[in-house]
DNA sequence: AAAAAAT
Protein backbone atom coordinates (compact mmCIF):
# COMPACT_ATOMS: atom_id res chain seq x y z
CA UNK A 1 0.00 0.00 0.00
CA UNK A 2 1.38 3.34 -0.91
CA UNK A 3 0.43 6.73 -2.12
CA UNK A 4 1.09 5.44 -5.59
CA UNK A 5 -2.18 3.61 -5.39
CA UNK A 6 -3.83 6.58 -6.95
CA UNK A 7 -1.17 6.89 -9.61
CA UNK A 8 -3.59 6.05 -12.36
CA UNK A 9 -5.66 9.02 -11.40
CA UNK A 10 -2.65 11.25 -10.97
CA UNK A 11 -0.68 10.73 -14.11
CA UNK A 12 0.27 14.33 -14.47
CA UNK A 13 3.99 14.65 -13.98
CA UNK A 14 4.53 16.43 -10.73
CA UNK A 15 6.65 18.89 -12.64
CA UNK A 16 3.69 20.34 -14.52
CA UNK A 17 2.52 23.55 -12.94
CA UNK A 18 -0.28 25.95 -13.67
CA UNK A 19 2.34 28.50 -14.57
CA UNK A 20 3.27 26.40 -17.59
CA UNK A 21 0.04 27.08 -19.45
CA UNK A 22 0.66 30.75 -20.09
CA UNK A 23 -2.25 31.78 -17.91
CA UNK A 24 -2.53 35.39 -16.86
CA UNK A 25 -0.80 36.35 -13.60
CA UNK A 26 -4.20 37.39 -12.33
CA UNK A 27 -5.45 33.85 -12.73
CA UNK A 28 -2.32 32.35 -11.21
CA UNK A 29 -2.69 34.61 -8.24
CA UNK A 30 -6.19 33.30 -7.64
CA UNK A 31 -4.90 29.75 -7.92
CA UNK A 32 -2.24 30.49 -5.37
CA UNK A 33 -4.96 31.74 -3.06
CA UNK A 34 -6.70 28.42 -3.50
CA UNK A 35 -3.49 26.56 -2.82
CA UNK A 36 -3.36 25.06 -6.30
CA UNK A 37 0.04 24.46 -7.83
CA UNK A 38 -0.18 21.33 -9.94
CA UNK A 39 -3.01 20.65 -12.35
CA UNK A 40 -4.99 17.44 -12.14
CA UNK A 41 -4.87 15.16 -15.19
CA UNK A 42 -8.10 16.50 -16.62
CA UNK A 43 -6.86 20.03 -16.16
CA UNK A 44 -3.48 19.28 -17.68
CA UNK A 45 -5.22 17.90 -20.75
CA UNK A 46 -8.10 20.28 -21.06
CA UNK A 47 -6.45 23.62 -20.45
CA UNK A 48 -4.14 23.66 -23.51
CA UNK A 49 -6.85 22.32 -25.78
CA UNK A 50 -9.45 24.81 -24.66
CA UNK A 51 -6.87 27.58 -25.04
CA UNK A 52 -6.43 26.50 -28.64
CA UNK A 53 -10.10 27.17 -29.18
CA UNK A 54 -10.97 23.56 -29.86
CA UNK A 55 -14.25 21.88 -29.00
CA UNK A 56 -13.98 19.30 -26.25
CA UNK A 57 -15.81 16.20 -25.16
CA UNK A 58 -14.44 15.56 -21.71
CA UNK A 59 -15.06 12.36 -19.80
CA UNK A 60 -13.93 12.68 -16.24
CA UNK A 61 -15.11 11.62 -12.84
CA UNK A 62 -16.34 14.27 -10.50
CA UNK A 63 -13.77 15.39 -8.02
CA UNK A 64 -11.10 15.36 -10.69
CA UNK A 65 -11.07 19.09 -11.15
CA UNK A 66 -13.30 19.34 -14.18
CA UNK A 67 -14.58 22.78 -13.32
CA UNK A 68 -11.17 24.40 -13.23
CA UNK A 69 -10.33 22.42 -16.35
CA UNK A 70 -12.75 24.50 -18.38
CA UNK A 71 -13.09 27.62 -16.25
CA UNK A 72 -9.41 28.57 -16.18
CA UNK A 73 -8.79 28.49 -19.94
CA UNK A 74 -12.11 30.22 -20.59
CA UNK A 75 -11.15 33.06 -18.30
CA UNK A 76 -7.81 33.24 -20.06
CA UNK A 77 -9.44 33.32 -23.49
CA UNK A 78 -11.80 36.08 -22.45
CA UNK A 79 -8.95 38.10 -21.00
CA UNK A 80 -6.85 37.65 -24.11
CA UNK A 81 -9.61 38.97 -26.31
CA UNK A 82 -11.00 41.37 -23.79
CA UNK A 83 -10.22 44.94 -24.55
CA UNK A 84 -12.01 46.04 -27.64
CA UNK A 85 -10.80 49.54 -26.91
CA UNK A 86 -14.13 51.31 -26.84
CA UNK A 87 -16.46 49.40 -24.57
CA UNK A 88 -19.75 48.67 -26.25
CA UNK A 89 -22.91 50.23 -24.93
CA UNK A 90 -24.28 46.85 -24.02
CA UNK A 91 -22.31 44.08 -22.42
CA UNK A 92 -22.91 40.86 -24.19
CA UNK A 93 -22.37 37.57 -22.42
CA UNK A 94 -19.21 36.02 -23.76
CA UNK A 95 -19.21 32.64 -22.09
CA UNK A 96 -22.15 30.53 -20.98
CA UNK A 97 -21.96 27.57 -18.64
CA UNK A 98 -25.05 25.36 -18.35
CA UNK A 99 -25.74 22.85 -15.60
CA UNK A 100 -28.65 20.48 -14.96
CA UNK A 101 -29.30 21.49 -11.36
CA UNK A 102 -29.49 24.79 -9.54
CA UNK A 103 -27.13 23.73 -6.81
CA UNK A 104 -24.50 22.76 -9.32
CA UNK A 105 -24.86 26.07 -11.11
CA UNK A 106 -24.33 27.82 -7.81
CA UNK A 107 -21.25 25.78 -7.06
CA UNK A 108 -19.69 26.29 -10.48
CA UNK A 109 -20.40 29.99 -10.20
CA UNK A 110 -18.55 30.12 -6.90
CA UNK A 111 -15.52 28.54 -8.53
CA UNK A 112 -15.61 30.85 -11.53
CA UNK A 113 -15.82 33.82 -9.21
CA UNK A 114 -12.83 32.62 -7.27
CA UNK A 115 -10.70 31.95 -10.35
CA UNK A 116 -11.54 35.30 -11.92
CA UNK A 117 -11.30 37.25 -8.70
CA UNK A 118 -8.30 39.34 -9.71
CA UNK A 119 -9.43 39.89 -13.27
CA UNK A 120 -11.78 42.46 -14.68
CA UNK A 121 -14.19 39.74 -15.75
CA UNK A 122 -17.59 39.64 -14.15
CA UNK A 123 -19.78 36.60 -13.77
CA UNK A 124 -23.14 35.78 -12.33
CA UNK A 125 -25.34 32.79 -11.74
CA UNK A 126 -28.89 32.49 -12.93
CA UNK A 127 -31.37 29.78 -11.91
CA UNK A 128 -35.00 29.25 -11.07
CA UNK A 129 -36.72 29.18 -7.71
CA UNK A 130 -35.18 32.50 -6.79
CA UNK A 131 -36.20 36.08 -7.16
CA UNK A 132 -35.63 37.38 -10.67
CA UNK A 133 -34.72 40.88 -9.58
CA UNK A 134 -31.18 40.41 -8.27
CA UNK A 135 -30.31 38.29 -11.28
CA UNK A 136 -31.73 40.89 -13.61
CA UNK A 137 -29.76 43.60 -11.87
CA UNK A 138 -26.52 41.67 -12.19
CA UNK A 139 -27.15 40.97 -15.85
CA UNK A 140 -28.01 44.57 -16.58
CA UNK A 141 -24.84 45.74 -14.93
CA UNK A 142 -23.00 43.56 -17.42
CA UNK A 143 -21.27 40.21 -17.07
CA UNK A 144 -18.95 38.34 -19.36
CA UNK A 145 -19.64 34.90 -17.89
CA UNK A 146 -23.05 33.47 -17.03
CA UNK A 147 -23.59 30.20 -15.21
CA UNK A 148 -27.18 29.02 -15.52
CA UNK A 149 -29.82 26.36 -15.52
CA UNK A 150 -31.69 26.33 -18.84
CA UNK A 151 -35.20 27.42 -17.91
CA UNK A 152 -34.38 30.59 -16.05
CA UNK A 153 -31.75 31.50 -18.61
CA UNK A 154 -34.40 31.47 -21.32
CA UNK A 155 -36.63 33.46 -19.07
CA UNK A 156 -33.99 36.18 -18.93
CA UNK A 157 -33.55 36.03 -22.68
CA UNK A 158 -37.26 36.56 -22.98
CA UNK A 159 -37.05 39.50 -20.60
CA UNK A 160 -34.25 40.84 -22.76
CA UNK A 161 -31.95 41.12 -19.81
CA UNK A 162 -29.63 38.64 -21.42
CA UNK A 163 -28.12 38.63 -24.88
CA UNK A 164 -26.46 35.50 -26.19
CA UNK A 165 -25.72 36.74 -29.69
CA UNK A 166 -22.07 37.38 -28.86
CA UNK A 167 -21.47 34.29 -26.76
CA UNK A 168 -18.34 32.64 -28.07
CA UNK A 169 -18.00 29.83 -25.59
CA UNK A 170 -20.58 27.32 -24.41
CA UNK A 171 -19.99 24.77 -21.67
CA UNK A 172 -22.36 21.97 -20.87
CA UNK A 173 -21.51 20.53 -17.49
CA UNK A 174 -22.89 17.07 -16.76
CA UNK A 175 -23.53 16.93 -20.46
CA UNK A 176 -25.23 13.57 -20.53
CA UNK A 177 -27.97 14.95 -18.34
CA UNK A 178 -28.19 18.14 -20.34
CA UNK A 179 -28.74 16.05 -23.43
CA UNK A 180 -31.54 13.91 -22.08
CA UNK A 181 -35.04 14.31 -23.32
CA UNK A 182 -36.20 16.54 -20.52
CA UNK A 183 -33.57 19.17 -21.23
CA UNK A 184 -33.18 18.94 -24.98
CA UNK A 185 -35.86 21.40 -26.08
CA UNK A 186 -34.51 24.15 -23.84
CA UNK A 187 -30.97 23.30 -24.76
CA UNK A 188 -31.76 23.52 -28.43
CA UNK A 189 -33.45 26.85 -27.98
CA UNK A 190 -30.41 28.17 -26.20
CA UNK A 191 -28.05 26.87 -28.82
CA UNK A 192 -30.15 28.47 -31.50
CA UNK A 193 -29.53 31.81 -29.81
CA UNK A 194 -25.77 31.43 -29.90
CA UNK A 195 -23.50 32.31 -32.81
CA UNK A 196 -22.77 29.38 -35.04
CA UNK A 197 -19.11 30.20 -34.78
CA UNK A 198 -18.34 29.35 -31.22
CA UNK A 199 -16.42 27.00 -29.00
CA UNK A 200 -18.40 24.25 -27.30
CA UNK A 201 -17.27 22.12 -24.40
CA UNK A 202 -19.04 19.16 -22.87
CA UNK A 203 -18.09 17.43 -19.68
CA UNK A 204 -19.55 14.45 -17.90
CA UNK A 205 -18.47 11.48 -15.86
CA UNK A 206 -20.32 9.18 -18.22
CA UNK A 207 -21.00 9.25 -21.93
CA UNK A 208 -23.21 6.46 -23.18
CA UNK A 209 -22.75 5.64 -26.87
CA UNK A 210 -26.07 7.28 -27.68
CA UNK A 211 -25.20 10.43 -25.81
CA UNK A 212 -21.79 10.48 -27.42
CA UNK A 213 -23.37 10.54 -30.85
CA UNK A 214 -25.83 13.18 -29.81
CA UNK A 215 -23.05 15.26 -28.28
CA UNK A 216 -21.09 15.09 -31.47
CA UNK A 217 -23.95 16.68 -33.33
CA UNK A 218 -23.41 19.77 -31.18
CA UNK A 219 -19.64 19.80 -31.37
CA UNK A 220 -17.26 20.70 -34.15
CA UNK A 221 -14.39 18.26 -34.53
CA UNK A 222 -14.13 17.84 -30.78
CA UNK A 223 -11.04 16.66 -29.03
CA UNK A 224 -11.93 13.81 -26.72
CA UNK A 225 -10.38 14.05 -23.31
CA UNK A 226 -10.62 11.04 -21.12
CA UNK A 227 -9.25 10.61 -17.69
CA UNK A 228 -9.40 7.04 -16.55
CA UNK A 229 -11.67 4.56 -18.18
CA UNK A 230 -14.93 5.92 -19.42
CA UNK A 231 -17.83 4.96 -17.19
CA UNK A 232 -15.45 3.47 -14.69
CA UNK A 233 -16.22 3.86 -11.04
CA UNK A 234 -13.62 5.44 -8.87
CA UNK A 235 -11.09 2.89 -7.78
CA UNK A 236 -10.97 4.22 -4.31
CA UNK A 237 -14.65 3.60 -3.72
CA UNK A 238 -15.55 0.28 -2.12
CA UNK A 239 -18.88 -0.93 -3.37
CA UNK A 240 -21.08 -2.93 -1.04
CA UNK A 241 -24.45 -4.49 -1.80
CA UNK A 242 -26.88 -5.51 0.94
CA UNK A 243 -29.93 -7.60 0.34
CA UNK A 244 -32.83 -6.11 2.27
CA UNK A 245 -36.58 -6.55 2.14
CA UNK A 246 -38.38 -3.53 0.79
CA UNK A 247 -40.24 -2.90 4.06
CA UNK A 248 -37.03 -3.04 6.05
CA UNK A 249 -35.05 -0.56 4.00
CA UNK A 250 -35.58 2.46 6.20
CA UNK A 251 -34.59 0.56 9.29
CA UNK A 252 -31.62 -0.78 7.43
CA UNK A 253 -30.42 2.71 6.62
CA UNK A 254 -30.71 3.72 10.25
CA UNK A 255 -28.87 0.58 11.23
CA UNK A 256 -26.02 1.22 8.82
CA UNK A 257 -25.67 4.81 9.90
CA UNK A 258 -25.54 3.81 13.56
CA UNK A 259 -23.36 0.77 13.09
CA UNK A 260 -20.78 2.72 11.15
CA UNK A 261 -21.13 5.87 13.18
CA UNK A 262 -21.57 7.86 9.99
CA UNK A 263 -21.40 11.59 10.45
CA UNK A 264 -21.68 12.53 6.77
CA UNK A 265 -23.66 10.40 4.37
CA UNK A 266 -25.91 10.97 1.40
CA UNK A 267 -28.79 8.54 1.00
CA UNK A 268 -30.17 8.40 -2.53
CA UNK A 269 -33.82 7.66 -3.15
CA UNK A 270 -35.40 7.26 -6.55
CA UNK A 271 -38.40 9.35 -5.64
CA UNK A 272 -39.08 12.65 -3.96
CA UNK A 273 -41.70 11.11 -1.71
CA UNK A 274 -39.31 8.35 -0.81
CA UNK A 275 -36.59 10.81 0.09
CA UNK A 276 -38.91 12.69 2.41
CA UNK A 277 -40.15 9.54 4.05
CA UNK A 278 -36.69 8.20 4.68
CA UNK A 279 -35.55 11.50 6.10
CA UNK A 280 -38.54 11.65 8.39
CA UNK A 281 -38.02 8.11 9.59
CA UNK A 282 -34.37 8.78 10.36
CA UNK A 283 -35.28 11.93 12.20
CA UNK A 284 -37.80 9.99 14.18
CA UNK A 285 -35.04 7.64 15.19
CA UNK A 286 -33.10 10.55 16.55
CA UNK A 287 -30.69 10.93 13.66
CA UNK A 288 -29.92 14.28 12.12
CA UNK A 289 -31.36 13.93 8.66
CA UNK A 290 -32.84 16.21 6.06
CA UNK A 291 -34.26 15.69 2.59
CA UNK A 292 -33.37 17.52 -0.60
CA UNK A 293 -35.39 17.18 -3.78
CA UNK A 294 -37.20 19.10 -6.45
CA UNK A 295 -40.46 19.51 -4.58
CA UNK A 296 -38.76 21.47 -1.85
CA UNK A 297 -38.54 25.20 -2.16
CA UNK A 298 -35.23 26.51 -3.33
CA UNK A 299 -34.50 27.99 0.06
CA UNK A 300 -35.17 24.65 1.71
CA UNK A 301 -32.89 22.94 -0.79
CA UNK A 302 -30.09 25.36 -0.18
CA UNK A 303 -30.58 25.27 3.57
CA UNK A 304 -30.44 21.48 3.60
CA UNK A 305 -27.27 21.40 1.53
CA UNK A 306 -25.63 24.08 3.61
CA UNK A 307 -26.61 22.41 6.88
CA UNK A 308 -25.15 19.18 5.58
CA UNK A 309 -21.91 20.83 4.56
CA UNK A 310 -21.70 22.47 7.96
CA UNK A 311 -22.23 19.14 9.67
CA UNK A 312 -25.44 20.25 11.34
CA UNK A 313 -27.14 17.54 9.34
CA UNK A 314 -25.46 14.16 9.21
CA UNK A 315 -27.68 12.45 6.67
CA UNK A 316 -28.78 14.11 3.47
CA UNK A 317 -31.56 12.11 1.87
CA UNK A 318 -31.64 13.08 -1.77
CA UNK A 319 -33.11 12.34 -5.13
CA UNK A 320 -30.84 12.48 -8.15
CA UNK A 321 -30.92 16.25 -7.85
CA UNK A 322 -27.80 15.68 -5.77
CA UNK A 323 -26.34 12.89 -7.86
CA UNK A 324 -24.11 14.98 -10.02
CA UNK A 325 -21.27 17.33 -9.55
CA UNK A 326 -21.85 18.43 -5.99
CA UNK A 327 -18.57 18.78 -4.24
CA UNK A 328 -18.93 17.93 -0.62
CA UNK A 329 -15.64 17.62 1.16
CA UNK A 330 -14.65 14.30 2.61
CA UNK A 331 -17.84 12.40 2.12
CA UNK A 332 -16.90 8.94 3.35
CA UNK A 333 -20.03 7.10 2.33
CA UNK A 334 -23.08 7.16 0.12
CA UNK A 335 -26.05 4.83 0.44
CA UNK A 336 -28.32 3.90 -2.41
CA UNK A 337 -31.65 3.42 -0.69
CA UNK A 338 -32.89 2.48 -4.14
CA UNK A 339 -30.81 1.32 -7.04
CA UNK A 340 -31.06 3.98 -9.75
CA UNK A 341 -33.05 3.20 -12.86
CA UNK A 342 -30.19 4.27 -15.07
CA UNK A 343 -26.93 2.51 -14.54
CA UNK A 344 -25.09 5.72 -15.37
CA UNK A 345 -26.70 7.41 -12.41
CA UNK A 346 -25.13 4.79 -10.20
CA UNK A 347 -21.72 5.95 -11.33
CA UNK A 348 -22.62 9.56 -10.69
CA UNK A 349 -24.10 8.85 -7.28
CA UNK A 350 -21.22 6.88 -5.91
CA UNK A 351 -18.93 9.52 -7.35
CA UNK A 352 -20.12 11.70 -4.45
CA UNK A 353 -17.73 9.77 -2.24
CA UNK A 354 -14.08 8.94 -2.60
CA UNK A 355 -13.42 12.32 -4.07
CA UNK A 356 -10.00 13.74 -4.81
CA UNK A 357 -8.17 10.61 -3.85
CA UNK A 358 -9.91 9.90 -0.56
CA UNK A 359 -11.40 6.51 0.21
CA UNK A 360 -15.11 5.96 0.29
CA UNK A 361 -17.82 3.35 0.63
CA UNK A 362 -20.83 3.05 -1.63
CA UNK A 363 -23.55 0.93 -0.06
CA UNK A 364 -26.57 -0.16 -2.04
CA UNK A 365 -29.70 -1.77 -0.70
CA UNK A 366 -31.23 -4.22 -3.12
CA UNK A 367 -34.41 -6.23 -3.07
CA UNK A 368 -35.35 -9.23 -5.14
CA UNK A 369 -36.87 -6.96 -7.72
CA UNK A 370 -33.58 -5.21 -8.37
CA UNK A 371 -31.78 -8.07 -10.06
CA UNK A 372 -32.14 -6.52 -13.46
CA UNK A 373 -30.96 -3.09 -12.38
CA UNK A 374 -28.00 -4.60 -10.62
CA UNK A 375 -27.08 -6.57 -13.71
CA UNK A 376 -27.19 -3.40 -15.80
CA UNK A 377 -24.89 -1.67 -13.37
CA UNK A 378 -22.47 -4.56 -13.32
CA UNK A 379 -22.38 -4.51 -17.06
CA UNK A 380 -21.66 -0.81 -17.18
CA UNK A 381 -18.92 -0.79 -14.60
CA UNK A 382 -17.58 -4.14 -15.76
CA UNK A 383 -17.47 -5.45 -12.26
CA UNK A 384 -19.40 -8.05 -10.30
CA UNK A 385 -21.23 -6.81 -7.25
CA UNK A 386 -22.12 -9.67 -4.94
CA UNK A 387 -25.03 -8.98 -2.58
CA UNK A 388 -24.40 -9.91 1.01
CA UNK A 389 -26.38 -9.96 4.22
CA UNK A 390 -26.42 -6.93 6.43
CA UNK A 391 -24.80 -8.38 9.51
CA UNK A 392 -26.55 -7.90 12.80
CA UNK A 393 -29.59 -6.31 11.27
CA UNK A 394 -32.90 -7.54 12.60
CA UNK A 395 -35.81 -5.58 11.21
CA UNK A 396 -38.64 -5.14 13.63
CA UNK A 397 -42.20 -4.96 12.49
CA UNK A 398 -43.39 -1.50 11.62
CA UNK A 399 -46.66 -0.38 13.03
CA UNK A 400 -49.12 2.38 13.58
CA UNK A 401 -48.67 5.82 12.17
CA UNK A 402 -45.83 4.98 9.86
CA UNK A 403 -47.74 2.35 8.00
CA UNK A 404 -49.84 4.59 5.86
CA UNK A 405 -48.50 8.06 5.44
CA UNK A 406 -51.22 10.27 4.06
CA UNK A 407 -49.98 12.96 1.80
CA UNK A 408 -52.97 15.04 0.99
CA UNK A 409 -54.67 15.76 4.22
CA UNK A 410 -56.99 18.61 4.70
CA UNK A 411 -55.34 21.44 6.60
CA UNK A 412 -56.05 21.32 10.29
CA UNK A 413 -56.24 17.57 10.58
CA UNK A 414 -54.93 16.07 13.78
CA UNK A 415 -51.78 14.67 12.30
CA UNK A 416 -50.76 18.00 10.95
CA UNK A 417 -50.40 19.41 14.39
CA UNK A 418 -48.63 16.39 15.83
CA UNK A 419 -45.78 16.03 13.40
CA UNK A 420 -45.32 19.06 11.26
CA UNK A 421 -45.06 17.28 7.93
CA UNK A 422 -41.70 18.95 7.33
CA UNK A 423 -42.69 20.94 4.29
CA UNK A 424 -43.85 17.84 2.57
CA UNK A 425 -47.30 18.80 1.54
CA UNK A 426 -46.93 19.66 -2.09
CA UNK A 427 -44.58 21.60 -4.23
CA UNK A 428 -44.85 25.01 -2.70
CA UNK A 429 -44.96 27.42 -5.53
CA UNK A 430 -47.25 29.83 -3.80
CA UNK A 431 -44.71 32.22 -2.41
CA UNK A 432 -44.89 34.87 -5.07
CA UNK A 433 -47.86 33.85 -7.03
CA UNK A 434 -49.18 37.30 -7.77
CA UNK A 435 -50.61 36.53 -11.17
CA UNK A 436 -52.42 33.42 -10.20
CA UNK A 437 -55.78 34.44 -11.50
CA UNK A 438 -54.59 35.41 -14.93
CA UNK A 439 -52.70 32.23 -15.61
CA UNK A 440 -55.56 30.17 -14.29
CA UNK A 441 -58.08 31.73 -16.56
CA UNK A 442 -59.07 29.49 -19.42
CA UNK A 443 -57.49 31.55 -22.12
CA UNK A 444 -54.61 32.67 -19.98
CA UNK A 445 -52.48 29.66 -20.63
CA UNK A 446 -52.98 29.27 -24.31
CA UNK A 447 -53.17 32.89 -25.22
CA UNK A 448 -50.09 33.88 -23.26
CA UNK A 449 -47.44 33.98 -25.91
CA UNK A 450 -44.06 32.66 -25.10
CA UNK A 451 -40.96 34.31 -26.39
CA UNK A 452 -39.47 30.88 -26.88
CA UNK A 453 -41.54 30.40 -29.95
CA UNK A 454 -44.68 28.46 -30.54
CA UNK A 455 -43.69 25.26 -28.83
CA UNK A 456 -45.30 24.48 -25.51
CA UNK A 457 -42.78 23.57 -22.92
CA UNK A 458 -42.25 20.14 -21.53
CA UNK A 459 -44.35 18.40 -24.07
CA UNK A 460 -43.52 15.47 -26.18
CA UNK A 461 -41.35 16.64 -28.98
CA UNK A 462 -40.12 15.58 -32.35
CA UNK A 463 -36.66 17.01 -32.33
CA UNK A 464 -36.14 17.44 -36.02
CA UNK A 465 -33.14 19.56 -35.14
CA UNK A 466 -31.19 16.60 -33.96
CA UNK A 467 -31.27 14.77 -37.22
CA UNK A 468 -28.12 15.28 -39.20
CA UNK A 469 -28.82 16.43 -42.68
CA UNK A 470 -28.53 13.47 -44.98
CA UNK A 471 -28.94 14.31 -48.62
CA UNK A 472 -29.06 10.66 -49.58
CA UNK A 473 -32.25 10.14 -47.63
CA UNK A 474 -35.40 11.78 -48.91
CA UNK A 475 -36.75 14.11 -46.27
CA UNK A 476 -40.14 13.24 -44.82
CA UNK A 477 -42.94 15.13 -46.45
CA UNK A 478 -43.67 17.26 -43.41
CA UNK A 479 -40.07 18.08 -42.62
CA UNK A 480 -40.34 21.59 -43.98
CA UNK A 481 -43.33 22.39 -41.80
CA UNK A 482 -41.67 21.04 -38.74
CA UNK A 483 -38.62 23.13 -39.31
CA UNK A 484 -38.73 26.11 -37.06
CA UNK A 485 -41.04 24.60 -34.53
CA UNK A 486 -41.27 21.60 -32.35
CA UNK A 487 -44.04 19.25 -33.26
CA UNK A 488 -45.87 17.30 -30.63
CA UNK A 489 -46.31 13.78 -29.69
CA UNK A 490 -44.75 11.66 -32.36
CA UNK A 491 -42.51 9.62 -30.16
CA UNK A 492 -44.26 9.52 -26.85
CA UNK A 493 -44.21 5.86 -26.01
CA UNK A 494 -40.71 4.88 -26.90
CA UNK A 495 -38.06 4.35 -24.30
CA UNK A 496 -35.48 7.05 -24.18
CA UNK A 497 -32.65 5.15 -25.75
CA UNK A 498 -34.76 4.24 -28.71
CA UNK A 499 -35.80 7.85 -29.02
CA UNK A 500 -32.26 9.08 -29.05
CA UNK A 501 -31.32 6.44 -31.55
CA UNK A 502 -34.19 7.51 -33.72
CA UNK A 503 -33.04 11.10 -33.52
CA UNK A 504 -29.71 10.11 -34.81
CA UNK A 505 -31.23 8.66 -37.92
CA UNK A 506 -30.33 5.11 -37.09
CA UNK A 507 -32.71 2.28 -37.69
CA UNK A 508 -34.96 1.57 -34.74
CA UNK A 509 -33.61 -1.28 -32.68
CA UNK A 510 -35.85 -4.28 -32.43
C1' DA B 1 -40.75 4.30 -14.27
C1' DA B 2 -38.34 8.90 -12.06
C1' DA B 3 -36.09 13.33 -11.64
C1' DA B 4 -34.66 17.79 -13.25
C1' DA B 5 -35.68 22.43 -15.27
C1' DA B 6 -39.52 28.98 -15.69
C1' DT B 7 -43.87 30.69 -13.69
Amino acid sequence: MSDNQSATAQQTPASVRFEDFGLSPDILRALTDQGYVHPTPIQAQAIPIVLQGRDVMGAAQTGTGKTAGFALPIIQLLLAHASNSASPARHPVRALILTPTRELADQVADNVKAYSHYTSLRSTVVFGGMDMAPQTAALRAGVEIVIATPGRLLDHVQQKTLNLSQTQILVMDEADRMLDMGFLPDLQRIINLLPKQRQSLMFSATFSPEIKKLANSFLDKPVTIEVARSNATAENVTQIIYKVAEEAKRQAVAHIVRERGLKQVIVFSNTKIGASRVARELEKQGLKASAIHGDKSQSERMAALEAFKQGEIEILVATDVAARGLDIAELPCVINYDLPYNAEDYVHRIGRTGRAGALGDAISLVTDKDARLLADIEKLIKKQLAPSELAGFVPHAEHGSERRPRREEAPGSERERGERGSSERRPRRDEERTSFSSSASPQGRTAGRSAYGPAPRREKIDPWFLKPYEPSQPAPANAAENRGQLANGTSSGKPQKAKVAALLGGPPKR
Side-chain angles (χ1 to χ4, degrees):
Chain A
M1 160 81 205
S2 72
D3 290 79
N4 285 341
Q5 185 107 36
S6 56
T8 42
Q10 303 292 336
Q11 281 163 347
T12 316
S15 53
V16 178
R17 302 168 72 90
F18 282 110
E19 301 154 23
D20 303 334
F21 297 118
L23 299 172
S24 146
D26 292 333
I27 299 175
L28 294 175
R29 194 173 156 203
L31 291 175
T32 304
D33 283 4
Q34 306 275 313
Y36 296 162
V37 178
H38 301 290
T40 65
I42 185 81
Q43 291 161 0
Q45 290 185 61
I47 292 172
I49 291 167
V50 177
L51 287 175
Q52 286 167 30
R54 296 289 306 267
D55 281 10
V56 166
M57 179 166 352
Q61 295 293 320
T62 45
T64 55
K66 258 187 303 183
T67 307
F70 61 75
L72 297 176
I74 285 174
I75 292 166
Q76 176 65 30
L77 285 172
L78 296 186
L79 286 175
H81 304 109
S83 36
N84 287 342
S85 57
S87 72
R90 296 186 48 91
H91 322 269
V93 173
R94 301 177 60 203
L96 173 63
I97 301 168
L98 295 173
T99 73
T101 68
R102 297 164 180 176
E103 284 77 8
L104 187 54
D106 208 25
Q107 176 182 301
V108 171
D110 283 346
N111 289 329
V112 168
K113 273 234 155 55
Y115 302 146
S116 61
H117 184 258
Y118 296 107
T119 75
S120 57
L121 298 173
R122 292 153 301 173
S123 60
T124 198
V125 65
V126 148
F127 54 77
M130 303 270 286
D131 204 349
M132 281 290 263
Q135 297 176 7
T136 301
L139 291 171
R140 280 201 202 284
V143 290
E144 286 76 27
I145 306 171
V146 167
I147 302 93
T149 49
R152 180 58 72 87
L153 181 84
L154 285 168
D155 203 352
H156 281 290
V157 170
Q158 183 179 7
Q159 308 290 326
K160 303 239 192 279
T161 47
L162 184 56
N163 180 347
L164 297 177
S165 67
Q166 308 289 313
T167 303
Q168 301 294 338
I169 306 175
L170 170 68
V171 181
M172 278 164 270
D173 203 4
E174 302 303 338
D176 62 336
R177 177 58 87 235
M178 300 302 300
L179 291 174
D180 85 14
M181 298 308 287
F183 277 111
L184 263 177
D186 280 354
L187 190 61
Q188 185 58 38
R189 289 187 176 101
I190 291 166
I191 286 176
N192 285 342
L193 295 165
L194 302 172
K196 280 198 97 163
Q197 279 293 331
R198 63 165 192 277
Q199 185 177 9
S200 305
L201 318 174
M202 290 193 183
F203 291 88
S204 182
T206 61
F207 277 101
S208 69
E210 288 86 359
I211 292 299
K212 217 174 238 178
K213 277 197 222 168
L214 193 51
N216 268 311
S217 73
F218 289 95
L219 299 171
D220 180 24
K221 298 194 267 311
V223 179
T224 298
I225 296 176
E226 211 166 313
V227 176
R229 217 157 21 112
S230 177
N231 295 348
T233 48
E235 286 167 24
N236 39 2
V237 175
T238 305
Q239 299 174 65
I240 301 160
I241 312 286
Y242 290 130
K243 242 181 125 160
V244 179
E246 183 68 43
E247 324 79 65
K249 275 180 166 186
R250 272 175 290 188
Q251 292 176 43
V253 171
H255 176 85
I256 292 168
V257 170
R258 285 236 168 73
E259 199 69 8
R260 292 176 166 246
L262 295 174
K263 294 296 174 207
Q264 284 275 279
V265 57
I266 297 185
V267 177
F268 283 107
S269 160
N270 281 357
T271 65
K272 293 177 277 199
I273 285 277
S276 284
R277 285 183 188 158
V278 172
R280 196 173 49 181
E281 171 70 15
L282 294 174
E283 274 186 301
K284 230 159 105 182
Q285 301 218 11
L287 296 163
K288 292 186 231 167
S290 191
I292 183 169
H293 57 66
D295 275 356
K296 297 258 183 191
S297 75
Q298 192 55 31
S299 56
E300 286 174 310
R301 284 166 60 162
M302 292 165 84
L305 190 58
E306 189 54 29
F308 185 64
K309 285 183 174 178
Q310 295 301 320
E312 296 155 22
I313 291 295
E314 296 174 344
I315 309 164
L316 187 66
V317 191
T319 58
D320 279 325
V321 69
R324 286 152 190 269
L326 293 190
D327 194 4
I328 295 156
E330 293 170 38
L331 194 57
C333 184
V334 299
I335 298 176
N336 285 314
Y337 178 83
D338 302 308
L339 278 189
Y341 291 124
N342 298 317
E344 272 105 17
D345 287 332
Y346 177 83
V347 178
H348 286 278
R349 286 181 182 182
I350 76 170
R352 301 302 93 221
T353 185
R355 294 169 74 72
L359 295 177
D361 289 330
I363 299 170
S364 300
L365 305 183
V366 303
T367 68
D368 295 331
K369 292 177 179 169
D370 293 330
R372 184 56 206 255
L373 296 176
L374 188 58
D376 287 348
I377 290 167
E378 289 176 323
K379 196 174 156 199
L380 178 71
I381 66 175
K382 299 187 175 73
K383 191 171 182 175
Q384 293 299 115
L385 300 171
S388 58
E389 297 298 321
L390 179 48
F393 173 58
V394 183
H396 47 83
E398 294 199 29
H399 55 275
S401 63
E402 194 49 46
R403 201 181 81 249
R404 197 181 233 290
R406 289 160 55 196
R407 295 285 120 209
E408 308 275 342
E409 303 180 281
S413 71
E414 275 103 313
R415 283 192 40 151
E416 193 68 30
R417 159 164 39 124
E419 75 174 67
R420 291 268 318 121
S422 72
S423 86
E424 191 39 45
R425 281 174 287 273
R426 272 255 116 183
R428 290 172 30 183
R429 308 219 187 277
D430 48 357
E431 269 128 28
E432 46 199 298
R433 193 207 250 155
T434 48
S435 60
F436 175 76
S437 56
S438 78
S439 68
S441 73
Q443 71 272 48
R445 303 184 59 124
T446 45
R449 72 181 50 213
S450 154
Y452 301 142
R457 272 175 61 81
R458 298 189 175 88
E459 298 264 350
K460 309 291 190 294
I461 55 155
D462 174 18
W464 51 268
F465 48 79
L466 296 170
K467 291 186 182 154
Y469 177 59
E470 288 179 30
S472 57
Q473 280 189 340
N478 63 346
E481 302 164 24
N482 285 348
R483 204 138 296 220
Q485 73 168 37
L486 306 174
N488 289 342
T490 51
S491 53
S492 48
K494 282 188 259 174
Q496 184 161 317
K497 283 191 178 175
K499 272 194 225 169
V500 173
L503 304 181
L504 294 164
K509 297 212 174 72
R510 315 181 27 99

